[in-house]
Structures are given as C-alpha cells and as structure tokens.
Amino acid sequence: MAAGDPSLPPEEQCPQLSTTVSSPVIDEEIPGLPEPREEAGPPPPSARPKRKRDLSSDSEDDLAELLEPDPEPVWSVETLSGLRMKLKRRHLSTVRPEHHKVFTRLLEDPEVKKFLAWDKTLRVSDKYLLSMVIAYFSRAGLFSWQYRPIHFFLALYLANDMEEDNQAPKQDIFYFLYGKSYAQRPAFHKLRFQFIRSMGWKIWVSREECEEIQAYNPELWVWARDRTNLT
C-alpha cells in the first residue's frame, strides 16, 4: 500500500515537515548552489568575467576547508611475479571529516529523525543510500554551515534515483515532505538539478566508497540500517 494512502490509520500517514524545510519555493535558492541557465549554452571562456574570492570575509573554519589539500593517491600491489610487480591505484574517498560532521548534525534534526523512524522497512534510507548522502555532500562544494535538512532530502532522493531499480519507493520522500500535494514538486526538482550541477554531474558512488564512508565512524547508529537484517 503506498505511503500517504487515505485508507491508512492516522499513525501510518506520512508526517509533514515544517514550512521552513519542506516548502522550497522557486524564488528561494539553496545557499551556494548556482542558478540554472536559461540560455542555449554557456558563454565562451573569453566572455566570462574573472572573479576573485574575498577570503577576508570567510571564517577560519571556511578557510580551512578551502585550503586543505586533496588527498594523495594510494597504490597497492595487485600482483607480484619474481621481480615484476603490478600496482593498482586504490580508490581514496574525497570525503573529509567536516562532511561526516555535517551528516551527523543533520541526523539530529527533528524532521530528519522523524523521517528515518517513519521509514521502518528501509525502502529509501538504508545504510548504503545514506552513505551516498555523505558522498554527495563532499562533492557539492558548500561550506559546512550551509547544509540544511533540505540538502539531506535532495541527496537521499538522488541516491535512490541512481541506485534503486524500483523507482516507486523514492516517492515516499515526496509524501513525507508534501503529503498528496504536487504544488511543491517542481521546486524540489529545480533544487535537485542545482544540487547535481554543483557536484559537477558526478553522481555515481561506488560500493567501495560507501563502505569506506561507513568505516570512518562504524558506531554511528544509522549504519545498522541494513536491509539484510530485516525479518
């Protein structure tokens, strides 16, 4: 039975988010996400004005995120035959500690906690899909303080869009946010497009990276959300 079905008893109905989280309107943009272009294509590089960032206006934490170097590549031995050795470049996640902190902070948001408690069957929020949320946070290029609960739902919707063969369950996110109303869905999809573009269209996340993200803090309670453990 679909979520939000009027035949369900009141306790099974999808809870609603407050308007500050669940009602992104067309004129309200996510901080740090670019506005989609309306023209046919981007201007040539020579026509783009060069802008320099004023670092004096950034906080110390923001500067630390900007100046922290990217991780160095790691190599491991794949095969060894006599004196000949074949190396394999290991995947190294670009997720940094601040992205894990942002995710942990958002898990304490009342509406996010309510949503995770509501998704008892882990249809849209098992541990791998939640790992992808952190990966997307790391790619979006926002400062830690800019992330809000709506980013959590955008990233989780995108993770389901990428990984789940059955696309129906991701509609539960809409039911949770807006009930049966379709009025806010175009605005949500506009924000989703901005979020994808802020990641440079890099939306595929490997299972290896998901497991690496979980291993950073293996005691975090959401990593127990394993579908294989459901009876």
Side-chain angles (χ1 to χ4, degrees), residues 68-71 91-100 134-140 202 209 212-213:
E68 185 175 348
D70 291 329
H91 169 80
L92 193 62
S93 176
T94 58
V95 178
R96 292 172 173 158
E98 57 265 26
H99 304 130
H100 290 276
I134 301 180
Y136 290 156
F137 284 175
S138 74
R139 301 175 187 182
K202 298 177 181 178
E209 184 171 5
E212 183 179 342
I213 288 171

Side-chain angles (χ1 to χ4, degrees), residues 104-226:
T104 304
R105 170 173 61 80
L106 290 178
L107 290 180
E108 297 304 315
D109 179 84
E111 304 303 337
V112 172
K113 291 175 70 174
K114 189 185 300 182
F115 174 80
L116 294 177
W118 174 70
D119 185 27
K120 296 182 178 68
T121 59
L122 312 183
R123 280 159 50 97
V124 290
S125 61
D126 76 340
K127 64 180 182 179
Y128 286 104
L129 295 171
L130 292 172
S131 300
M132 292 176 68
V133 171
I134 301 180
Y136 290 156
F137 284 175
S138 74
R139 301 175 187 182
L142 303 184
F143 289 127
S144 301
W145 57 267
Q146 291 178 300
Y147 286 100
R148 302 184 306 203
I150 189 60
H151 293 95
F152 175 89
F153 291 105
L154 289 169
L156 188 60
Y157 184 94
L158 180 58
N160 277 271
D161 206 22
M162 284 294 298
E163 291 299 317
E164 296 300 314
D165 295 330
N166 183 1
Q167 295 296 296
K170 71 180 182 181
Q171 300 301 315
D172 290 351
I173 297 176
F174 282 133
Y175 281 120
F176 181 86
L177 293 172
Y178 312 122
K180 290 188 174 182
S181 173
Y182 283 79
Q184 295 293 342
R185 295 193 183 194
F188 183 94
H189 283 301
K190 180 181 179 181
L191 295 178
R192 181 176 63 90
F193 172 78
Q194 294 177 29
F195 192 64
I196 294 173
R197 198 174 72 168
S198 73
M199 295 189 291
W201 309 97
K202 298 177 181 178
I203 54 180
W204 183 77
V205 183
S206 68
R207 188 180 183 92
E208 180 186 2
E209 184 171 5
C210 287
E211 292 174 349
E212 183 179 342
I213 288 171
Q214 295 167 27
Y216 177 82
N217 183 9
E219 302 302 321
L220 190 63
W221 62 273
V222 292
W223 304 145
R225 299 175 67 86
D226 190 340

Side-chain angles (χ1 to χ4, degrees), residues 14-30:
C14 304
Q16 299 297 306
L17 281 179
S18 63
T19 55
T20 57
V21 175
S22 64
S23 300
V25 295
I26 292 297
D27 295 332
E28 179 184 353
E29 305 299 336
I30 294 180

Side-chain angles (χ1 to χ4, degrees), residues 57-106:
S57 62
D58 293 323
S59 67
E60 292 184 3
D61 291 340
D62 292 344
L63 290 176
E65 293 183 30
L66 279 174
L67 300 177
E68 185 175 348
D70 291 329
E72 294 293 330
V74 177
W75 300 84
S76 60
V77 178
E78 186 176 33
T79 59
L80 183 61
S81 177
L83 298 178
R84 300 186 64 179
M85 180 171 54
K86 183 178 180 181
L87 296 178
K88 177 182 179 181
R89 181 168 180 171
R90 291 175 52 194
H91 169 80
L92 193 62
S93 176
T94 58
V95 178
R96 292 172 173 158
E98 57 265 26
H99 304 130
H100 290 276
K101 291 179 181 178
V102 166
F103 179 75
T104 304
R105 170 173 61 80
L106 290 178

